[in-house]
Amino acid sequence: MPEAGSASPALSLAALGEMVDLLGVVVARMSEKLDQHGETLAAVQTTALESRDAAQAAKVYADPQRYGRHIGNEIDKALVVPLDRLEGLHLGLAADRRDASRTLDELVRQEEQTLQRLRDDLARAGRWKKRAPFIAILGLVLALGLTIALPRFMAGNGTACAVLGGEWLRRPESGKEACVFYAR
């Protein structure tokens, strides 16, 4: 992003809208991933509850010392894959959260820079708006002055008359000089 106050143009409203749309996409993707993680956690919890219920039923019908180790091993076997998957999902969620946070921080910084450039542009436009009447008056005075002075200068100078294609003549009876243009 260019520095504030630089000569580069400010972002358009379309670019700002695109940035907001990208932010919405990031938030929607994070929401989808959180929903998926919630479903996985619910499945793991259900599996754990079913395993616990099975262990308690087995304890009632069997010797806890003898079958306890067997049941524990089976529960560990049953839960290893979902727990490993849950740990992987947790690590993925943490990485996604860090990435989203970094992206959101960058978008906020870019938005603040854009808003500052827009404020600067608005202030600059306001200053020019205040100067516009004075510039218009100066232009009008200059145009009026040239309208009056330029013909007098041209008519009073033999070189300027020749440049325009006229001829510098002097009247014999009065001695006055004039720039004359002849029709061909």
Side-chain angles (χ1 to χ4, degrees):
M1 303 273 333
E3 293 289 326
S6 69
S8 65
L11 290 177
S12 67
L13 289 176
L16 286 174
E18 183 178 340
M19 283 191 338
V20 170
D21 289 344
L22 287 174
L23 182 59
V25 169
V26 167
V27 170
R29 286 185 182 166
M30 286 301 297
S31 176
E32 289 174 9
K33 286 190 178 196
L34 287 173
D35 290 345
Q36 289 173 355
H37 294 310
E39 292 171 7
T40 302
L41 287 173
V44 168
Q45 184 180 14
T46 302
T47 302
L49 289 174
E50 290 172 357
S51 298
R52 189 191 72 201
D53 292 344
Q56 287 177 352
K59 184 179 179 182
V60 171
Y61 296 109
D63 177 25
Q65 295 292 329
R66 182 174 168 225
Y67 293 107
R69 284 185 299 276
H70 177 67
I71 292 171
N73 290 338
E74 291 300 314
I75 289 174
D76 285 344
K77 286 180 193 176
L79 291 179
V80 164
V81 173
L83 288 175
D84 287 345
R85 202 169 110 213
L86 179 62
E87 184 178 356
L89 291 173
H90 175 69
L91 293 175
L93 178 62
D96 289 344
R97 185 180 32 195
R98 282 190 305 272
D99 290 343
S101 177
R102 207 171 316 128
T103 303
L104 287 174
D105 290 343
E106 177 64 20
L107 286 174
V108 166
R109 187 185 62 75
Q110 289 176 0
E111 181 182 18
E112 287 171 355
Q113 287 177 347
T114 301
L115 288 174
Q116 185 59 43
R117 275 198 311 275
L118 287 174
R119 284 186 209 106
D120 293 344
D121 289 348
L122 187 59
R124 197 174 315 120
R127 287 190 300 270
W128 276 107
K129 189 175 179 181
K130 289 178 183 176
R131 294 178 191 159
F134 298 113
I135 293 171
I137 290 171
L138 179 65
L140 183 63
V141 167
L142 181 64
L144 184 61
L146 287 176
T147 302
I148 294 170
L150 192 59
R152 292 207 177 267
F153 171 74
M154 294 299 218
N157 187 333
T159 306
C161 182
V163 168
L164 291 174
E167 189 175 328
W168 193 253
L169 297 178
R170 180 183 302 256
R171 289 188 71 177
E173 58 271 355
S174 66
K176 291 185 179 180
E177 297 175 338
C179 184
V180 178
F181 296 91
Y182 293 106
R184 294 182 190 200

